[in-house]
Amino acid sequence: VIGSKGNQVHIFERQNQGQWSLAAVLRHDSLFFGSSVATYEDDVLVGAYGDQKAFVFGRDAVAGWSTSPLHVFLPDSNLGLFGSAVAIRKSVAVVASLYSGTVYVFFRDMSGQWLDA
């Protein structure tokens, strides 16, 4: 996965022969969408610190990668560049606010809903 501040995230997948191919391009109009990116299995967490947001995208075995976010994380305040750093592992997503020094932790419950920790 390659992110940029250009409002796009490119997802590449390794094919059986070992070659990489472009699987999806995720786009959003949030300011600095793609400035931070984290992956775990079928989930991609994308930060957009310019708009104080982070987005989760997912991959379905049949439909492939979703081009619309499955969930949008928002901070409890507009301070600190929320989304400047992100991490995801299993059912836990972590989103940092660089200037405030705050780290937000979110959990995905058994039904697939994301909740604040």
Side-chain angles (χ1 to χ4, degrees):
V1 176
I2 300 173
S4 73
K5 293 181 188 173
N7 296 15
Q8 294 184 9
V9 171
H10 295 81
I11 299 176
F12 292 86
E13 293 178 346
R14 187 180 299 212
Q15 304 303 310
N16 292 337
Q17 300 81 15
Q19 295 177 314
W20 291 90
S21 66
L22 182 63
V25 178
L26 309 177
R27 294 179 176 88
H28 201 275
D29 60 0
S30 287
L31 189 59
F32 299 128
F33 175 83
S35 56
S36 58
V37 179
T39 63
Y40 182 76
E41 294 180 350
D42 293 332
D43 294 316
V44 174
L45 180 58
V46 180
Y49 69 82
D51 283 341
Q52 306 282 332
K53 296 178 183 175
F55 305 85
V56 173
F57 294 85
R59 177 175 53 185
D60 180 89
V62 176
W65 287 98
S66 63
T67 55
S68 297
L70 302 176
H71 187 80
V72 179
F73 297 111
L74 301 169
D76 55 8
S77 71
N78 285 331
L79 303 174
L81 296 180
F82 179 85
S84 54
V86 296
I88 191 166
R89 176 90 171 150
K90 297 186 180 182
S91 294
V92 178
V94 179
V95 182
S97 290
L98 181 66
Y99 287 161
S100 70
T102 305
V103 175
Y104 297 83
V105 180
F106 304 92
F107 293 93
R108 182 171 36 206
D109 67 15
M110 297 298 285
S111 70
Q113 295 290 98
W114 288 94
L115 309 168
D116 292 351

